[in-house]
Amino acid sequence: MFNMPVMNEQVHEYAIVTKALNREFKVRLKAEGLLASVRNFFSPASKTVNAVNDLELQINRGDIVGFLGPNGAGKTTTLKMLSGLLVPTSGSIEVLGYTPFNRDHAFLKSISLVMGQKQNLWWDLPPVETFAIHRQIYGLTDAEYKSRIDELIAMLEIADCLETQTRKLSLGQRMRCELAVSLLHQPQILFLDEPTIGLDIIMQKKIRSFLLDYHRRFNPTILLTSHYMDDVAALAQRVIVIDHGNKVYDGHLTDLTNKLHPEKIISVLLNDGEFVCKLEDGCRLIHHEGQHYRFMVSRNRVPELAARLYATGNIADLTIEDPPLEDLIGQLFTPDSQSR
Amino acid sequence: MAMFKADGKFAVLIAYFKIILTYRAMMLIHAIRLLLLPLVLASAWLSIEKTASNPYSDSDYLLYYLLVPVIMNLTDSRVVFKFSQAVKDGSLNRELLKPFPPLMSYLLESLANNALQLLYLVPFTLVFWLFVRDRVLLGHLKPSLLLFFVVAIIIGTLARLVVSGSIALLSFWIEDVTTLNLILNGGIWALLGGMIVPVATFPENIRHIAELLPYRYMLSFPIEIFSGRLSNSEIYIGFATATFWIILFAIIMHIIWKSGLKTYTAYGG
Ligand SMILES: Nc1ncnc2c1ncn2[C@@H]1O[C@H](COP(=O)(O)OP(=O)(O)OP(=O)(O)O)[C@@H](O)[C@H]1O
Ligand SMILES: [Mg+2]
């Protein structure tokens, strides 16, 4: 008996398709004690939260898609449904032709979900032992295992933490080992839920460039959530923004940033004295505290303005940055922009 | 090695052996816990005046409580605690994402734990036995009896596992199943399984009820076989009764699992 659905024999244009996907949570009002638990078992007192609302997704094979939204938007819930952990309340999901919640082994062998740093790693064992267990579970041959593990160890630079008990590893080491375990079976789809959370800038960059490199070599479909603008900017060509379970944007990241925020922020720290330049069109002061100033500047005027600031000779420090992703996303959720 | 399919079960079992061995102190504490109560109960039963209707002699009581810790351990499964924790903290997620039977991991952990616990329990039991050796009669032991004994332990382990498993799976709905477990699988088991009072010494009508319920087969039954007090037909009836309960609870587990997964909200992340 093959467990493969008939659908799977066709070559799928899309890696992921969802139609009118909904997920509600009944949030149970907590019951105290056994008696109340038993009563609650038969007639639960609860309220309903709509975590995901009529979500329509079509994601091409081999794409990297950034999944954005404020806290509680429904990103993680969506990933859990796509990976088969959660059953949808209604609507349909097809991932590589499978219905995720059926959890066919062939399906599970072709995906990976990375959610936090101790999802897959055995806490009490060194990573190398988790690798060996995964090798058995996913039925890799010696040759496959050897070449893949060597490659991942080199790419992720984890040779020195393989023999250390996982609980003793640093966050960054653990995250990289976690990625290695999750990629050992070479999934066709990789779901990443905030893969760089809690990591320092250097480590974030390492993870990002690893993911790009890995994608270039093996071309998996990657769906990633992150709160860091840089992650999304570096990795995803396409972003999907959701808020309160509703999709509010789907398209190129550059279109989104240009449309929503045709400006950058210039932060300046003066050596001494006050700022004397007069503010012109396309430049406004958004923050001022002592010697520290922050300006919002039109993108096209940034180079010129920065040069002029340096020319004053009174600059101790100057940085140019994109507005925080949260601000950007926040704009999508104001009533007037939603009517678009 | 052609017969052995390397699908990860063996690797997971070995992993649990390794982990449990790093927690040796915990095992010792657990061993003491397992040994203490039977020791107290044995001395209580030895010190009281036996009534005429009591079929157990001092020798019977000694043998019974010598074996209780070992059997208790073999059929003791921590799945309830482990599983309810996994549902609460979302670590069940990781089991659900692997191409591996999701409950297998809990089963193998329990198995590894019980097996390793024997490293403490067997020597302790032998030492106790040395002390009371001339008061315990073992002359009746023969190979067929030992075979029945082993089969009864396996059946008892399975019975305990499916009953515990069914309670564990209620974690999908009930936040704290440990209380329920304490009553159904702890209290009732201790009373009707023969922990406090050996089932064979129950009053006639209560004994009949106990023989119909699954609890006796998780503790008293293997020891009754070992002590040579059961006829072959009594043994077969016991096996049949226990098998009935195992099948029933396995079906119950399957049903609870299927509907439980639909209510599972996969915490974490
Ligand atoms: N297991 C659960 N039980 C009840 N409610 C839940 C559960 N999981 C999520 N929710 C609710 O569903 C909504 C969406 O949550 P989700 O975790 O998907 O958000 P998110 O977009 O991942 O947020 P974040 O950026 O904070 O991770 C929230 O209102 C949350 O409270
Ligand atoms: Mg989330």
Side-chain angles (χ1 to χ4, degrees):
Chain A
M1 249 308 274
F2 288 109
N3 250 348
M4 274 198 246
V6 187
M7 291 292 298
N8 206 43
E9 284 164 17
Q10 308 162 6
V11 176
H12 281 262
E13 189 180 351
Y14 295 118
I16 300 170
V17 179
T18 73
K19 294 201 180 88
L21 183 61
N22 283 290
R23 175 67 209 206
E24 295 171 355
F25 285 111
K26 281 210 163 53
V27 183
R28 203 156 286 191
L29 306 173
K30 200 174 154 64
E32 289 290 329
L34 177 69
L35 204 71
S37 294
V38 172
R39 205 184 308 125
N40 218 14
F41 179 73
F42 294 107
S43 68
S46 58
K47 65 172 178 141
T48 306
V49 177
N50 279 356
V52 174
N53 255 326
D54 279 336
L55 185 66
E56 306 272 337
L57 283 181
Q58 289 181 343
I59 294 175
N60 293 318
R61 280 172 181 270
D63 275 4
I64 306 184
V65 177
F67 207 35
L68 307 178
N71 290 122
K75 304 180 296 290
T76 302
T77 304
T78 306
L79 292 191
K80 284 175 182 167
M81 286 194 283
L82 295 177
S83 58
L85 285 179
L86 270 179
V87 67
T89 307
S90 67
S92 73
I93 311 179
E94 214 175 86
V95 177
L96 300 171
Y98 295 96
T99 301
F101 190 67
N102 293 346
R103 297 188 13 264
D104 288 282
H105 280 192
F107 166 74
L108 294 174
K109 281 183 180 178
S110 43
I111 65 152
S112 240
L113 168 68
V114 179
M115 195 164 63
Q117 292 94 14
K118 50 169 196 161
Q119 173 77 15
N120 283 312
L121 290 171
W122 286 57
W123 199 236
D124 291 308
L125 296 175
V128 65
E129 305 226 15
T130 304
F131 298 159
I133 294 169
H134 265 237
R135 183 202 138 188
Q136 304 273 327
I137 290 178
Y138 287 90
L140 307 182
T141 65
D142 281 351
E144 276 171 338
Y145 177 71
K146 187 85 181 70
S147 75
R148 287 182 195 178
I149 201 72
D150 287 349
E151 188 166 24
L152 286 167
I153 289 171
M155 286 171 82
L156 285 159
E157 298 167 30
I158 48 173
D160 54 342
C161 37
L162 293 179
E163 309 282 343
T164 314
Q165 210 183 25
T166 298
R167 60 162 81 249
K168 292 174 188 155
L169 294 175
S170 79
L171 202 62
Q173 291 171 326
R174 215 152 60 216
M175 189 63 225
R176 282 177 292 158
C177 291
E178 182 69 35
L179 278 170
V181 189
S182 312
L183 295 173
L184 203 54
H185 59 283
Q186 241 169 52
Q188 294 176 49
I189 302 192
L190 184 55
F191 300 109
L192 297 169
D193 197 9
E194 306 186 28
T196 54
I197 195 163
L199 304 180
D200 68 32
I201 303 280
I202 297 170
M203 193 53 71
Q204 285 179 25
K205 278 197 177 138
K206 267 195 184 163
I207 301 270
R208 254 175 243 145
S209 63
F210 163 75
L211 287 173
L212 274 179
D213 193 14
Y214 185 84
H215 184 261
R216 200 163 35 238
R217 291 195 205 186
F218 301 106
N219 205 39
T221 310
I222 299 180
L223 186 53
L224 122 144
T225 77
S226 178
H227 286 126
Y228 299 119
M229 181 63 160
D230 292 342
D231 276 354
V232 181
L235 295 169
Q237 308 97 339
R238 173 182 167 196
V239 296
I240 294 168
V241 183
I242 62 167
D243 178 36
H244 290 96
N246 297 300
K247 187 160 89 172
V248 292
Y249 179 83
D250 187 345
H252 279 285
L253 179 64
T254 43
D255 294 349
L256 179 70
T257 39
N258 290 341
K259 182 147 98 197
L260 289 174
H261 240 296
E263 296 176 310
K264 283 188 175 257
I265 294 173
I266 298 185
S267 300
V268 179
L269 185 64
L270 299 183
N271 284 323
D272 55 63
E274 283 195 15
F275 195 75
V276 286
C277 273
K278 72 177 199 300
L279 296 176
E280 308 168 26
D281 287 348
C283 170
R284 68 199 145 85
L285 184 67
I286 51 171
H287 183 80
H288 171 210
E289 196 182 318
Q291 321 286 89
H292 192 233
Y293 294 79
R294 280 164 78 81
F295 301 100
M296 195 65 98
V297 182
S298 304
R299 277 169 195 274
N300 53 355
R301 301 213 47 215
V302 167
E304 173 207 342
L305 204 80
R308 273 175 48 199
L309 283 167
Y310 270 121
T312 64
N314 191 22
I315 306 293
D317 190 25
L318 186 146
T319 56
I320 302 165
E321 55 192 292
D322 271 314
L325 187 56
E326 249 65 36
D327 287 5
L328 202 74
I329 303 291
Q331 291 211 350
L332 277 168
F333 311 129
T334 54
D336 61 312
S337 64
Q338 246 172 17
S339 60
R340 244 173 320 121
Chain B
M1 286 301 274
M3 283 203 29
F4 177 71
K5 197 155 145 266
D7 57 359
K9 293 191 185 73
F10 189 66
V12 170
L13 182 68
I14 296 296
Y16 278 118
F17 274 127
K18 284 183 189 159
I19 292 172
I20 293 162
L21 283 172
T22 61
Y23 292 105
R24 279 182 294 268
M26 293 270 284
M27 279 172 60
L28 183 62
I29 291 168
H30 189 57
I32 292 169
R33 192 179 70 89
L34 283 171
L35 288 161
L36 219 53
L37 186 59
L39 202 65
V40 171
L41 288 168
S43 41
W45 282 114
L46 290 182
S47 62
I48 62 161
E49 201 73 31
K50 312 286 176 304
T51 56
S53 62
N54 189 339
Y56 266 35
S57 64
D58 278 2
S59 163
D60 291 320
Y61 276 116
L62 273 174
L63 179 60
Y64 191 86
Y65 284 107
L66 265 177
L67 286 175
V68 160
V70 178
I71 308 297
M72 228 173 121
N73 166 63
L74 279 174
T75 63
D76 179 42
S77 67
R78 303 190 305 155
V79 287
V80 178
F81 173 70
K82 285 283 173 183
F83 188 80
S84 77
Q85 215 175 17
V87 170
K88 265 184 259 179
D89 65 18
S91 57
L92 181 61
N93 292 353
R94 116 175 78 184
E95 303 304 328
L96 291 172
L97 286 165
K98 282 185 283 204
F100 190 71
L103 293 179
M104 182 58 71
S105 189
Y106 303 95
L107 180 81
L108 293 174
E109 180 179 7
S110 175
L111 202 70
N113 207 62
N114 297 347
L116 284 176
Q117 192 67 62
L118 288 178
L119 294 181
Y120 283 107
L121 285 180
V122 170
F124 275 126
T125 301
L126 285 177
V127 169
F128 284 143
W129 175 73
L130 282 179
F131 277 111
V132 295
R133 158 174 63 159
D134 35 354
R135 295 166 67 191
V136 177
L137 311 171
L138 292 176
H140 61 277
L141 282 180
K142 52 182 195 289
S144 64
L145 208 61
L146 289 176
L147 183 69
F148 282 140
F149 177 62
V150 171
V151 173
I153 288 174
I154 294 169
I155 286 182
T157 307
L158 287 174
R160 187 87 201 253
L161 203 67
V162 288
V163 171
S164 305
S166 303
I167 295 169
L169 292 183
L170 292 178
S171 309
F172 284 125
W173 297 273
I174 303 175
E175 194 140 332
D176 185 17
V177 287
T178 48
T179 320
L180 191 66
N181 186 48
L182 210 63
I183 295 169
L184 286 180
N185 217 7
I188 299 183
W189 166 82
L191 287 173
L192 294 176
M195 171 78 196
I196 317 280
V197 182
V199 173
T201 68
F202 283 2
E204 179 99 358
N205 44 359
I206 301 181
R207 183 165 59 83
H208 286 316
I209 294 171
E211 283 171 0
L212 286 176
L213 292 174
Y215 298 103
R216 174 199 184 211
Y217 304 94
M218 304 174 189
L219 182 61
S220 184
F221 186 59
I223 309 179
E224 288 172 44
I225 293 178
F226 190 86
S227 61
R229 303 185 62 92
L230 297 181
S231 69
N232 276 6
S233 64
E234 282 172 322
I235 293 175
Y236 292 135
I237 290 171
F239 284 165
T241 313
T243 307
F244 163 78
W245 284 111
I246 292 168
I247 293 170
L248 181 71
F249 272 95
I251 293 169
I252 290 174
M253 260 184 92
H254 183 76
I255 295 168
I256 303 181
W257 170 252
K258 285 284 170 204
S259 60
L261 269 189
K262 293 194 180 128
T263 71
Y264 179 55
T265 58
Y267 289 115

